[in-house]
């Protein structure tokens, strides 16, 4: 990890939180709970100065990069045992201040929708395997390249392409599809969808192709959804660590480029037993009650 970038980011985060003192003095909290690493440098200084609150850090990446290790929180709440082990390797003194709770996700990612409602929502025949292709809410990355590789593979699947808030990307993908010859692959292109609509897709998806952001990964684990990380969508840093967890734990796979994406997708879709194994492993790591468990644990400390 780049120590120069770490120092620059830490100095910037300290400046960004310049109004935090005023808020803390006004609210007089017993606990401050961080779900992002950004406030930690300023919080460390303010806790030493003000002294009336404790700090809990909810690590919202599976890989606990250095930015999570700034300051001296009273307790860490982490996604998995793997995360806990890595955190202890970095800071052995934290061993008794770490609880494995998962990353808080919306309750819809633990609720199962009726299949007929899902079929109507997706315009899906209920027969073809469902594959979801997305790169997150901002819809960045080489969508057309990924889509082209999947179409050329001739997959007989229902493909949900979700472009998020990137309306220009959605239009570009639609235009691209209009120019392509008819394919066995049934493609539906979406823009921004609700969390409930995303949960419905995760529930029935044989494969979820995406970048492994902390929340997206946790939502897939909660739903028991097999992930295929497409590296051109991936943000370097913590998402590389998140991808490593998915692959090493057996609930995910990774593709480095379009050719590999098509090949691995075809292999997985053609192997329902492996998909089911990946789903089972994912579900075993899912912690849909994380938010409740964290709150209960903090209250119990008082």
């Amino acid at each position: 990890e780049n120590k120069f970038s770490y120092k620059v980011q830490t100095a910037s985060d300290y400046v960004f939180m310049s109004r935090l003192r005023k808020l803390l003095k006004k609210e007089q909290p017993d606990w401050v709970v961080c779900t992002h690493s950004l406030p930690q440098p300023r919080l460390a200084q303010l806790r030493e100065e003000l002294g009336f609150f404790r700090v809990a850090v909810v690590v919202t990446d599976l890989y606990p990069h250095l930015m999570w290790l700034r300051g001296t929180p009273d307790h860490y709440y982490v996604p998995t045992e793997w995360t806990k082990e890595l955190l202890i390797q970095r800071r052995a003194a934290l061993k008794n201040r770490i609880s494995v709770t998962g990353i808080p996700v919306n309750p819809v990612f633990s609720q199962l929708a009726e299949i007929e409602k899902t079929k109507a929502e997706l315009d899906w025949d209920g027969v073809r395997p469902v594959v979801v292709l997305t790169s997150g809410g901002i819809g960045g990355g080489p969508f057309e390249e990924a889509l082209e590789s999947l179409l050329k593979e001739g997959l007989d699947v229902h493909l949900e392409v979700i472009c998020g808030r990137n309306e220009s990307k959605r239009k570009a993908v639609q235009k691209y599809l209009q120019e392509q010859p008819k394919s066995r692959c049934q493609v539906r292109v979406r823009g921004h969808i609700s969390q409930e609509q995303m949960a419905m897709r995760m529930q029935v998806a044989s494969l979820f192709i995406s970048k492994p952001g902390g929340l997206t990964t946790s939502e897939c684990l909660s739903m028991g959804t097999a992930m295929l990380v497409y590296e051109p969508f991936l943000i370097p840093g913590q998402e590389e660590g998140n991808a490593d967890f998915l692959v090493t734990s057996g609930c995910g796979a990774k593709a480095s480029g379009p050719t590999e994406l098509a090949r691995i997708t075809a292999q997985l879709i053609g192997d329902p037993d492996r998909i089911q194994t990946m789903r089972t492993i994912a579900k075993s790591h899912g912690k849909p009650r994380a938010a409740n468990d964290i709150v209960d644990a903090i209250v119990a400390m008082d």
Side-chain angles (χ1 to χ4, degrees), residues 30 34 41 43 47 51 61 66 87 97 104 107 130 138 153 173 178 183 187 199 202 208 218 262 280 295 300:
D30 296 311
C34 294
L43 269 176
R47 187 168 77 159
D61 288 304
L66 281 177
L87 202 52
R97 290 191 282 136
V130 174
I138 62 173
E153 190 67 23
V173 171
Q178 290 169 3
S183 166
V187 185
M202 287 182 175
F208 191 89
S218 293
T280 301
V295 170

Side-chain angles (χ1 to χ4, degrees), residues 36-70:
H36 196 287
S37 64
L38 189 150
Q40 287 182 257
R42 176 69 75 167
L43 269 176
Q45 178 261 325
L46 289 173
R47 187 168 77 159
E48 186 173 338
E49 176 187 324
L50 301 175
F52 57 74
F53 62 89
R54 287 184 280 177
V55 177
V57 172
V58 180
V59 178
T60 50
D61 288 304
L62 280 78
Y63 177 73
H65 54 82
L66 281 177
M67 295 298 176
W68 289 110
L69 295 170
R70 301 178 295 177

Side-chain angles (χ1 to χ4, degrees), residues 17-286:
M17 291 285 103
S18 60
R19 298 181 182 180
L20 193 53
R21 178 189 282 105
K22 183 178 179 180
L23 177 65
L24 292 171
K25 293 183 78 170
K26 176 185 175 184
E27 299 296 337
Q28 296 285 306
D30 296 311
W31 282 87
V32 176
V33 181
C34 294
T35 58
H36 196 287
S37 64
L38 189 150
Q40 287 182 257
R42 176 69 75 167
L43 269 176
Q45 178 261 325
L46 289 173
R47 187 168 77 159
E48 186 173 338
E49 176 187 324
L50 301 175
F52 57 74
F53 62 89
R54 287 184 280 177
V55 177
V57 172
V58 180
V59 178
T60 50
D61 288 304
L62 280 78
Y63 177 73
H65 54 82
L66 281 177
M67 295 298 176
W68 289 110
L69 295 170
R70 301 178 295 177
T72 54
D74 294 275
H75 211 83
Y76 278 93
Y77 297 94
V78 302
T80 67
E81 288 290 343
W82 182 79
T83 314
K84 180 178 179 178
E85 290 170 10
L86 289 176
L87 202 52
I88 292 171
Q89 287 175 23
R90 287 184 174 277
R91 299 284 190 277
L94 296 175
K95 184 175 182 178
N96 296 321
R97 290 191 282 136
I98 306 172
S99 298
V100 178
T101 56
I103 296 173
V105 296
N106 191 299
V108 298
F109 293 100
S110 62
Q111 299 164 2
L112 299 181
E114 294 180 4
I115 192 66
E116 292 304 319
K117 182 179 179 182
T118 301
K119 286 166 66 176
E121 163 67 25
L122 275 62
D123 187 24
W124 170 49
D125 60 16
V127 178
R128 288 184 175 93
V130 174
V131 176
V132 177
L133 174 67
T134 181
S135 65
I138 62 173
F143 257 95
E144 294 92 336
E145 180 182 74
L147 180 57
E148 180 182 16
S149 71
L150 294 174
L151 293 179
K152 284 184 176 179
E153 190 67 23
L155 300 169
D156 187 13
V157 299
H158 176 100
L159 180 61
E160 289 279 313
V161 181
I162 304 173
C163 302
R165 295 180 176 84
N166 193 334
E167 186 61 15
S168 62
K169 179 69 73 175
R170 186 190 67 79
K171 290 178 179 177
V173 171
Q174 289 278 29
K175 183 175 184 297
Y176 168 79
L177 285 171
Q178 290 169 3
E179 297 168 352
Q180 302 309 305
K182 190 172 181 180
S183 166
R184 290 199 303 164
C185 184
Q186 182 184 60
V187 185
R188 297 291 181 268
V189 182
R190 321 287 184 182
H192 176 66
I193 62 175
S194 69
Q195 289 184 303
E196 180 182 9
Q197 291 169 323
M198 182 62 84
M200 293 168 74
R201 286 161 173 80
M202 287 182 175
Q203 178 184 332
V204 298
S206 294
L207 201 58
F208 191 89
I209 303 170
S210 184
K211 69 185 192 69
L215 278 176
T216 298
T217 301
S218 293
E219 290 161 0
C220 279
L221 296 179
S222 291
M223 295 300 295
T225 306
M227 282 190 72
L228 174 54
V229 174
Y230 187 47
E231 289 191 282
F233 288 167
L234 183 149
I235 297 174
Q238 71 271 21
E239 290 191 358
E240 293 173 306
N242 295 348
D244 290 341
F245 166 80
L246 291 167
V247 173
T248 57
S249 68
C251 60
K254 186 164 57 175
S256 61
T259 301
E260 194 171 42
L261 174 67
R263 177 176 59 80
I264 294 175
T265 299
Q267 287 176 349
L268 290 172
I269 293 300
D271 191 350
D273 289 341
R274 185 181 173 192
I275 289 288
Q276 186 55 51
T277 298
M278 292 169 73
R279 291 180 67 95
T280 301
I281 295 171
K283 193 72 173 177
S284 73
H285 288 289

